[in-house]
Amino acid sequence: MIKSNSIYKYGLSLLLVLMVLLPLVVTSSFVLEILVRILLFAFIGTAWNLLGGYAKQLSLGHAAFFGLGAYTSTLLQINLGISPWIGMLVGGGVGLLASLPIGWLCFRLKGPYFTISTIATANVLMLIFLKFRDLAWGAEGTTIPNLGNAPLMMQFDNKVPYYYILLGLLIIALSITAWIERSRMGYYLIALGEDEDAAEASGVDVVKVKRNIYMISAFLTALAGTFYTQYIYFIDPQTAFNFNVSIEAALVSIVGGIGTLWGPVIGTVLLETTTILLQSYLGNSIGGIQLTVYSLILMAVILVRPTGIVGYFKEKSQARSST
Amino acid sequence: MTQFSENRRKIVKATGSAFFASGLSAIPLRGYAADPVNIGALYPVTGSMAQIGMGCVAAAKLAVSMINDAGGIKSLGGAKLNLIISDVQSDTTVTRTETDRLITGSKLSAIHGCYASALTLIASEVCERAKVPIITGSSSDMLNKGRSYTFTPFARASQFAQTQLQMSKLVSDRPKVAVIFENTAFGTATSNGIKELAASEGVEIVMFEPYSAGFTDAAPLLNKVKASGANAMFSVSYLNDLILIVRSIKQMGLNIAVNAGSGGFVMPDFYKNVGKLAEGLQGVTHWNHDISAESKKCNEEFKKITGEFLFEYGGGLIAQTFMLADAIERAASTDPQKVREALSTLDVSKGFAAMAPGGRVKFGPDGKNIYGRPIGVQWQNGDLASIFPKDFAKASILKT
Amino acid sequence: MLETVLQAVVNGLLIGGIYALVSIGVTLIFGVVKIVNFAQGEFVMIGMYISYYLSTQFGIDPVVSVLISMPILFVAGVLIQHYLIRRVLGLNDLPQIFLTFALSLLITNLSLMFFTANYRTIHTWYSDEALHLGGIYIPYAKLVSFVLAMVLSGALWLFLRSTDLGKAMRAASQNRDVAQLMGINPNRVFAVALGIALALAGAAGSLLMPFYPAYPMVGQVFVLMAFVAVVLGTLGNVLGALVASLLMGVAESLGIQFVGADSGLIVVFVLLLVTLALKPSGLAGGWRK
């Protein structure tokens, strides 16, 4: 037991060093782009996993917080000249606060009802931002002013700093997840995820636990929103509250292993790599072929191994250790 | 500046580009089998705008073959244009990554794209920072603000609005117009122009409403139009909604003149789907296939390839490719910054590069074509005829 | 003014009929099999394409083609239940939701591959004509689809009420374990449920063809409304879904008319939230205590 623990720690440190040094070795902008995408969705997935994986509250509306974070920092930047670094934290706060009324509304519903209501929330936010031009540029959106290389305003002329920002965010999210896993809240979360009624009957304050985890999940997701806007230099309601963000967050966690620390990361690596391979081999010769293959793979994973990749390995090691 | 070009060199070397970029950018190759000039094309070949995207790609390929068949870029030893197409999947994220990938993966001299304003805005931002010129037919006025690498040879959204308003007076002396528009960038930009200019054009707006694109039924919307007492309707919509709107107009017994602006309305597909109901409907485009002898020629070639007439955006991008060729020719270089310089001094009034309403292209400091203006069109016998303004009209107005 | 309101109500009811056909399928599947079928809209799309090809190749009227599209989709439903759904039953929500979601993605993109993104429309002799009653216009195509939607819904309701299989389905929906103890084969019941639900979606598609263009993404336009109707009408309740659909159609239409052309959906959501606040399980559920 002690041996495997220290192997784990050793491996982890090695991985960390590798990830930190990677951009210095990789010069291909294309590969860096892929790494950025992987880190971004691993981060969003990890944030989602707290609520959707551990607590098993399947939200497909996390784009709501993503968008709120994105708009908050952009509004602060363009209207008040405040740096997106600060804007990002404020955005996280806004997301966190938003999770309170949204949670209040949606948690009253169970199962698929809950899911549909989260989808509706993100949709409603998109509609609001589309409609009110005076609020935040309306449907047309806006571009981030071109400041060239401005580290203090979170704009860089090459991809490497973006990579490090995301790496930092991911490490934070994973640390939070690991800490929660080992904490009392973690016990409550997992109990709640397994069987909400039983947990409640055992004295777990289900409402409070759900609310707290939602706040953390929302906060982190909102940070990603700010990052993303700074990265693509553009924001509009359809991009900010895009359903695909909600989907991908859940997807990577499911494929990788819901309710596990590394699930979202592994899921992201797998799915993104698949996408890129598909893109290079099949290209765009026939419209729809990429997503067809993608969805087939997804279905295969869900049918064959619903607990995800990490889940599979966990089961295997549990089986082994019990013999 | 120097750090950036240093990174570029590293990237190019690392990706093992076959085009020995540093050499190309410094010395024009003469007397060799000249290396091709890379032009990037960003269009939504898949996703919700797939249809139009595919049409654009067909037009882009046609343009390049036309230029190459005529001898390519003579100042670069007959170098051929090499079109590198990238699918932006009708998605903003993908546009960002694809634009980047295109620029860093192949040494590009210029780019054209992306049809939808939101996508083009993103591509334009990336191009601005990467210092690669992008030329586009997208009408968003934002594309001319605060950037120097974006060139727009055709009419802007605000100009469309004015033309649309003027055309409503063709129908009635005291037009009462209901304006309905889809609530994203495309619809909002165009319709705002309409609102601002209506009074000065003597047109009364009796209804001004955004709607959510992709609705299940056009009847409620049209019911509202009917109740407003309008005698003309401006619709800024994507194709699927337009089909429903036009068909519902008949079903609801609504007697109203329709000017559906641009977008899906001026695609052959629109006629295929609504048939005779399209006859007499008016629109505004930034390009049409009957504006000049050159455009008619392109139309014929396009018809041979796709079986349908050359639509607005497709024809426009053929002209744009010729403009790029003209710039590269004058720059005698594939370096994107030199191409940008050459584009900014473009001044053509004949040939395929001048294939624009009015027949002249010259860019102002904001990348706008100072002679750019829209063209009013009308569906006549299954085809689009240019009818407005009088001096550009190629056909008389069909009374319905 | 009255005319405008009446017309708005009529418009709402007519489209509500289509919403009903789609949402009843979703609610049936949820009630009996206890999963949410995110791919329901795609089967509407399939129904549309089936009718499109039957019309253009064989000249069969779309309304008549319902007789063909429904059986085809029924079989599809049974197959999907047998090979796909069965394998994720008994697991928690996540794989179930994502399975149907992946299915939705798959069907949409296969359609994109085979049918291309072009819009397909059919023009029948009645496509552009309308019944003119007083000042109200009722397009024939929509009227026919509404009537048939009501007929099919009624037929389903009767089926569930009176036939053995229907009762078995209701039993399985209420309590699967007890139903099993009573000798009801759940898989058979589920297969029928899926078959019927998909058949209804196919019917919706066929009935849409005379006035709506077909394209790979069309399913998603209707499915959102269908889901809201399902929740509004209480999950699993067929009659509830029907009533909710009609209500929503009217609410949407009136919302567009009097609140704002882009506010149809918002009005519907408000309707949903208000209802849930008073009756947390939907229209057919109990009042808030």
Side-chain angles (χ1 to χ4, degrees):
Chain A
M1 238 353 262
I2 300 166
K3 212 176 182 190
S4 69
N5 214 349
S6 66
I7 290 180
Y8 182 66
K9 283 205 176 124
Y10 188 64
L12 207 60
S13 337
L14 201 64
L15 180 66
L16 187 63
V17 170
L18 193 76
M19 293 305 284
V20 169
L21 292 179
L22 203 57
L24 305 174
V25 177
V26 173
T27 48
S28 160
S29 184
F30 180 49
V31 175
L32 267 177
E33 176 80 51
I34 297 172
L35 289 171
V36 166
R37 263 190 78 85
I38 290 178
L39 285 175
L40 178 63
F41 281 103
F43 174 68
I44 298 177
T46 307
W48 182 91
N49 195 27
L50 288 171
L51 181 74
Y54 289 97
K56 302 270 195 301
Q57 305 296 308
L58 181 52
S59 154
L60 283 180
H62 262 56
F65 309 111
F66 186 82
L68 283 172
Y71 267 103
T72 305
S73 67
T74 309
L75 279 165
L76 287 175
Q77 183 184 15
I78 294 187
N79 293 347
L80 297 173
I82 295 179
S83 163
W85 292 105
I86 300 176
M88 183 156 90
L89 290 171
V90 177
V94 170
L96 185 149
L97 289 172
S99 77
L100 291 168
I102 294 175
W104 178 82
L105 196 66
C106 300
F107 282 135
R108 307 166 106 214
L109 312 167
K110 298 274 160 33
Y113 272 122
F114 171 76
T115 307
I116 292 173
S117 64
T118 58
I119 299 177
T121 323
N123 241 304
V124 166
L125 276 171
M126 190 198 289
L127 289 171
I128 291 175
F129 275 83
L130 274 174
K131 196 164 167 61
F132 297 115
R133 294 191 90 220
D134 309 315
L135 186 74
W137 312 281
E140 286 173 82
T142 185
T143 51
I144 306 287
N146 185 356
L147 300 169
N149 195 36
L152 288 177
M153 294 300 272
M154 217 192 275
Q155 272 193 55
F156 307 93
D157 63 1
N158 75 88
K159 295 217 179 64
V160 176
Y162 291 108
Y163 170 95
Y164 282 122
I165 296 175
L166 277 177
L167 186 62
L169 285 173
L170 182 61
I171 292 173
I172 292 174
L174 287 172
S175 310
I176 292 179
T177 308
W179 181 81
I180 289 180
E181 252 189 347
R182 283 153 241 274
S183 74
R184 192 181 302 180
M185 189 204 254
Y187 290 141
Y188 293 160
L189 263 183
I190 295 173
L192 155 67
E194 298 275 325
D195 189 331
E196 195 167 322
D197 298 321
E200 187 154 31
S202 320
V204 175
D205 188 345
V206 163
V207 172
K208 186 162 142 214
V209 172
K210 282 204 278 194
R211 190 182 60 217
N212 290 343
I213 202 70
Y214 206 12
M215 285 199 292
I216 301 175
S217 184
F219 178 84
L220 292 171
T221 310
L223 299 180
T226 300
F227 172 85
Y228 186 72
T229 309
Q230 293 301 119
Y231 189 61
I232 69 165
Y233 316 120
F234 176 74
I235 191 173
D236 73 357
Q238 290 187 311
T239 314
F241 298 104
N242 199 327
F243 189 47
N244 287 333
V245 172
S246 302
I247 294 291
E248 187 118 9
L251 216 62
V252 300
S253 309
I254 291 180
V255 169
I258 32 153
T260 67
L261 178 65
W262 294 102
V265 175
I266 293 178
T268 312
V269 171
L270 203 79
L271 287 175
E272 288 299 318
T273 317
T274 311
T275 312
I276 284 139
L277 284 174
L278 282 178
Q279 233 168 4
S280 25
Y281 280 116
L282 299 174
N284 304 298
S285 39
I286 311 171
I289 198 166
Q290 255 191 65
L291 285 173
T292 302
V293 178
Y294 194 60
S295 53
L296 278 170
I297 293 175
L298 210 60
M299 279 175 70
V301 170
I302 292 172
L303 287 171
V304 171
R305 198 47 61 186
T307 46
I309 294 169
V310 177
Y312 172 67
F313 282 110
K314 254 194 178 161
E315 282 161 21
K316 261 193 124 179
S317 76
Q318 272 166 4
R320 203 184 302 135
S321 62
S322 65
T323 48
Chain B
M1 173 60 207
T2 40
Q3 202 219 353
F4 177 74
S5 47
E6 209 181 314
N7 279 342
R8 279 237 326 280
R9 272 184 223 272
K10 266 201 230 156
I11 291 164
V12 162
K13 280 195 183 132
T15 54
S17 164
F19 300 114
F20 303 111
S22 23
L24 255 191
S25 61
I27 312 158
L29 301 166
R30 272 188 249 267
Y32 295 68
D35 283 334
V37 180
N38 292 333
I39 307 277
L42 290 163
Y43 290 102
V45 184
T46 55
S48 52
M49 301 183 231
Q51 261 197 301
I52 295 183
M54 293 200 278
C56 290
V57 168
K61 287 183 176 161
L62 174 61
V64 165
S65 66
M66 281 170 78
I67 293 173
N68 288 343
D69 289 345
I73 307 294
K74 299 174 187 67
S75 69
L76 290 174
K80 301 263 186 255
L81 288 184
N82 179 30
L83 189 67
I84 305 182
I85 300 168
S86 191
D87 176 17
V88 294
Q89 293 179 29
S90 316
D91 180 274
T92 43
T93 319
V94 178
T95 305
R96 166 75 173 86
T97 54
E98 282 302 301
T99 312
D100 218 41
R101 190 166 76 95
L102 207 58
I103 292 176
T104 54
S106 335
K107 180 136 192 310
L108 291 179
S109 300
I111 288 181
H112 62 83
C114 315
Y115 178 70
S117 285
L119 305 182
T120 312
L121 269 167
I122 294 181
S124 145
E125 285 291 321
V126 179
C127 287
E128 189 73 21
R129 286 156 217 260
K131 299 194 170 52
V132 174
I134 177 171
I135 190 168
T136 177
S138 292
S139 60
S140 168
D141 289 90
M142 268 208 270
L143 286 165
N144 305 109
K145 296 202 174 82
R147 58 201 76 207
S148 49
Y149 278 80
T150 304
F151 295 91
T152 59
F154 299 116
R156 318 314 299 138
S158 41
Q159 290 173 289
F160 274 69
Q162 189 175 34
T163 304
Q164 226 171 348
L165 288 163
Q166 289 166 347
M167 283 174 81
S168 69
K169 293 207 274 230
L170 297 172
V171 175
S172 137
D173 295 321
R174 315 228 58 210
K176 289 162 132 203
V177 179
V179 183
I180 57 174
F181 54 99
E182 63 92 32
N183 62 0
T184 68
F186 167 49
T188 321
T190 318
S191 61
N192 268 306
I194 296 174
K195 186 153 65 161
E196 278 156 29
L197 296 169
S200 59
E201 293 290 334
V203 175
E204 187 192 346
I205 307 277
V206 296
M207 178 178 153
F208 188 84
E209 296 251 5
Y211 68 85
S212 287
F215 45 61
T216 54
D217 187 14
L221 194 56
L222 289 173
N223 196 28
K224 201 163 184 182
V225 170
K226 201 175 187 182
S228 73
N231 58 15
M233 180 174 84
F234 291 172
S235 168
V236 190
S237 314
Y238 285 113
L239 185 57
N240 50 340
D241 296 333
L242 267 174
I243 294 173
L244 283 172
I245 289 173
V246 170
R247 293 180 83 176
S248 299
I249 286 178
K250 180 101 197 287
Q251 288 169 1
M252 298 195 58
L254 197 56
N255 198 359
I256 199 168
V258 177
N259 188 315
S262 168
F265 177 68
V266 294
M267 303 278 300
D269 227 54
F270 176 70
Y271 197 88
K272 284 224 294 248
N273 279 287
V274 303
K276 293 260 171 9
L277 292 173
E279 293 291 331
L281 296 186
Q282 298 179 4
V284 189
T285 64
H286 66 246
W287 189 93
N288 198 18
H289 59 73
D290 60 1
I291 54 176
S292 68
E294 286 88 5
S295 68
K296 291 195 179 116
K297 180 115 175 280
C298 292
N299 188 28
E300 264 157 59
E301 293 303 310
F302 193 77
K303 265 191 179 150
K304 283 190 209 151
I305 300 172
T306 65
E308 295 180 348
F309 71 76
L310 183 52
F311 62 101
E312 174 203 33
Y313 209 90
L317 71 91
I318 294 182
Q320 287 167 11
T321 313
F322 276 90
M323 288 175 217
L324 287 180
D326 180 288
I328 298 170
E329 189 75 58
R330 282 180 294 116
S333 160
T334 56
D335 181 291
Q337 270 154 290
K338 298 218 173 77
V339 173
R340 188 236 157 244
E341 294 304 316
L343 269 174
S344 67
T345 55
L346 184 86
D347 190 351
V348 288
S349 49
K350 54 184 168 70
F352 287 91
M355 201 168 51
R360 236 189 125 168
V361 181
K362 182 177 163 145
F363 294 111
D366 55 0
K368 236 195 287 200
N369 174 11
I370 61 179
Y371 300 106
R373 61 155 307 142
I375 260 226
V377 297
Q378 186 180 43
W379 280 101
Q380 296 181 358
N381 301 319
D383 204 344
L384 278 176
S386 302
I387 57 164
F388 184 86
K390 279 242 170 50
D391 29 324
F392 295 154
K394 300 292 177 209
S396 49
I397 301 172
L398 199 67
K399 291 284 178 216
T400 46
Chain C
M1 176 62 177
L2 179 65
E3 195 177 284
T4 305
V5 176
L6 271 173
Q7 180 74 61
V9 172
V10 166
N11 289 337
L13 284 173
L14 291 176
I15 199 72
I18 298 287
Y19 293 159
L21 278 180
V22 185
S23 64
I24 285 177
V26 175
T27 215
L28 189 66
I29 296 177
F30 187 78
V32 176
V33 190
K34 297 273 185 291
I35 67 162
V36 177
N37 182 14
F38 280 92
Q40 189 75 359
E42 273 55 61
F43 296 108
V44 174
M45 183 254 296
I46 302 278
M48 289 178 87
Y49 274 101
I50 292 177
S51 295
Y52 175 76
Y53 282 109
L54 287 174
S55 170
T56 52
Q57 303 287 15
F58 302 110
I60 300 177
D61 184 275
V63 174
V64 172
S65 71
V66 167
L67 294 169
I68 302 177
S69 61
M70 283 184 77
I72 293 179
L73 280 150
F74 182 87
V75 170
V78 171
L79 291 173
I80 285 174
Q81 149 61 15
H82 187 80
Y83 289 107
L84 296 177
I85 309 286
R86 215 164 40 128
R87 318 222 5 207
V88 293
L89 288 176
L91 297 171
N92 58 37
D93 288 336
L94 286 77
Q96 289 172 3
I97 289 177
F98 269 84
L99 180 63
T100 57
F101 184 78
L103 191 62
S104 154
L105 209 61
L106 179 66
I107 299 177
T108 308
N109 284 282
L110 277 174
S111 303
L112 194 57
M113 276 170 68
F114 290 116
F115 302 133
T116 79
N118 292 337
Y119 297 110
R120 319 265 176 185
T121 48
I122 296 179
H123 287 266
T124 61
W125 58 269
Y126 54 85
S127 270
D128 301 319
E129 303 302 318
L131 188 62
H132 194 167
L133 281 178
I136 310 292
Y137 285 85
I138 304 177
Y140 284 122
K142 289 184 184 168
L143 181 61
V144 168
S145 72
F146 177 78
V147 168
L148 271 166
M150 295 301 111
V151 166
L152 286 169
S153 309
L156 177 65
W157 187 78
L158 266 173
F159 169 80
L160 288 173
R161 273 240 104 80
S162 353
T163 67
D164 282 343
L165 191 51
K167 287 184 201 165
M169 280 170 70
R170 279 165 57 216
S173 147
Q174 282 165 12
N175 192 323
R176 187 180 304 174
D177 296 325
V178 174
Q180 217 165 342
L181 286 171
M182 307 287 263
I184 293 172
N185 179 347
N187 282 317
R188 187 154 166 262
V189 165
F190 294 166
V192 173
L194 229 5
I196 293 178
L198 263 51
L200 287 175
S206 297
L207 292 171
L208 275 171
M209 247 0 251
F211 57 90
Y212 210 92
Y215 57 100
M217 259 76 78
V218 76
Q220 288 157 22
V221 172
F222 288 92
V223 93
L224 179 62
M225 292 306 256
F227 277 130
V228 178
V230 165
V231 175
L232 183 60
T234 306
L235 280 167
N237 191 308
V238 168
L239 194 58
L242 174 62
V243 171
S245 296
L246 294 175
L247 259 175
M248 276 168 55
V250 174
E252 185 186 28
S253 180
L254 289 172
I256 290 176
Q257 188 70 37
F258 297 110
V259 179
D262 56 352
S263 307
L265 204 57
I266 293 185
V267 168
V268 166
F269 278 139
V270 168
L271 174 66
L272 176 69
L273 292 172
V274 166
T275 307
L276 290 179
L278 294 170
K279 296 184 128 205
S281 306
L283 287 172
W287 287 92
R288 162 156 279 276
K289 297 182 187 55

